[in-house]
């Protein structure tokens, strides 16, 4: 549970002047939480060209997502959550709009320190630019995490497998050792990537 309110804001800059802005907030209540988010991926103007390469003018493009989330503790060791979101993409004068849904579950097992989880993301409508439709990148993911309680208190190991609809399964394994209240050592591996 997150008592009260929590706010997150970030700004990232990548190569070719690509930027990502993200703002999210959550209101924690006893046994449940309500959240909202907005994210925008954008870049500087691009040069437009026709079929033979002649300059047609500059244009902008961007992607936007906004959503509402709700999470609830169903039992002492079981939590579920869902997000409904709208997706919007614009390139020059063309745009596409879609709606998607994410859902997840987390279960704290009887073995102290072991947590299991699963989630689906981007279940929703197809998006369409002009006459071309495309599917959202749907993912199913299952994972587990184990935090030691006695030996090496503060040691966490976690892993998951991601099953996307557009490529082969991918795995992730990581570990964290909390060596001080404000200092942790972390490392991880990605599996199944080119």
């Amino acid at each position: 549970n997150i008592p009260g309110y929590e706010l997150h804001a970030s700004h990232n800059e990548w190569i070719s002047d690509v930027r990502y802005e993200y703002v999210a907030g959550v209101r924690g209540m006893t046994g449940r939480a309500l959240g909202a988010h907005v994210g925008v991926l954008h870049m500087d103007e691009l040069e437009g060209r026709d079929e033979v390469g002649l300059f047609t003018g500059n244009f902008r493009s961007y992607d936007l997502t906004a959503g509402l989330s709700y999470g609830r503790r169903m039992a002492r060791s079981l939590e579920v959550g869902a997000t409904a979101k709208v997706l919007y993409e614009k390139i020059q004068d063309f745009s596409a709009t879609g709606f998607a849904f994410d859902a997840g579950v987390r279960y704290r097992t009887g073995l102290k320190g072991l947590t299991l989880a699963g989630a689906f993301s981007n279940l929703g409508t197809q998006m369409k630019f002009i006459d071309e439709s495309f599917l959202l990148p749907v993912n199913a993911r299952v994972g587990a995490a184990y935090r030691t309680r006695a030996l090496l208190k503060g040691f966490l190991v976690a892993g998951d497998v991601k099953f996307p609809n557009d490529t082969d399964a991918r795995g992730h394994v990581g570990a964290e050792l909390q060596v001080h209240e404000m200092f942790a050592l972390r490392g991880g591996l990605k599996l199944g990537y080119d």
Side-chain angles (χ1 to χ4, degrees), residues 20-143:
Y20 184 66
E21 322 299 338
Y22 185 79
V23 177
V26 66
R27 165 72 166 112
M29 298 161 273
T30 303
R32 63 189 191 278
L34 182 63
H37 77 271
V38 176
V40 180
L41 178 75
H42 61 99
M43 62 199 72
D44 288 341
E45 286 188 341
L46 301 169
E47 286 187 1
R49 302 284 175 172
D50 64 13
E51 295 82 20
V52 294
L54 297 175
F55 179 72
T56 60
N58 291 335
F59 66 92
R60 292 195 172 275
S61 66
Y62 63 91
D63 294 352
L64 171 98
T65 179
L68 294 174
S69 302
Y70 180 75
R72 183 172 183 88
R73 176 171 282 150
M74 303 302 286
R76 186 168 177 249
S77 58
L78 180 67
E79 297 161 328
V80 298
T83 297
K85 57 191 174 183
V86 62
L87 309 165
Y88 180 79
E89 293 188 35
K90 182 170 176 58
I91 300 175
Q92 201 169 15
D93 297 326
F94 309 105
S95 64
T97 302
F99 301 92
F101 179 75
D102 303 341
V105 61
R106 181 170 67 174
Y107 177 68
R108 291 184 179 98
T109 68
L111 179 61
K112 282 228 185 265
L114 179 62
T115 301
L116 306 176
F120 287 96
S121 60
N122 290 333
L123 297 172
T125 61
Q126 286 188 350
M127 294 185 67
K128 184 176 182 179
F129 273 114
I130 310 171
D131 294 325
E132 188 173 333
S133 295
F134 59 96
L135 294 172
L136 296 173
V138 177
N139 288 297
R141 178 176 255 160
V142 293

Side-chain angles (χ1 to χ4, degrees), residues 130-193:
I130 310 171
D131 294 325
E132 188 173 333
S133 295
F134 59 96
L135 294 172
L136 296 173
V138 177
N139 288 297
R141 178 176 255 160
V142 293
Y146 181 73
R147 182 176 299 279
T148 60
R149 299 291 179 195
L151 182 66
L152 287 176
K153 187 174 182 179
F155 181 70
L156 170 71
V157 63
D160 73 353
V161 180
K162 178 179 170 183
F163 301 95
N165 67 340
D166 57 357
T167 189
D168 296 331
R170 295 178 171 172
H172 311 91
V173 178
E176 174 187 271
L177 178 60
Q178 192 81 35
V179 294
H180 185 269
E181 184 178 296
M182 296 186 60
F183 185 69
L185 299 174
R186 296 182 180 133
L189 294 172
K190 294 165 81 172
L191 309 167
Y193 289 80

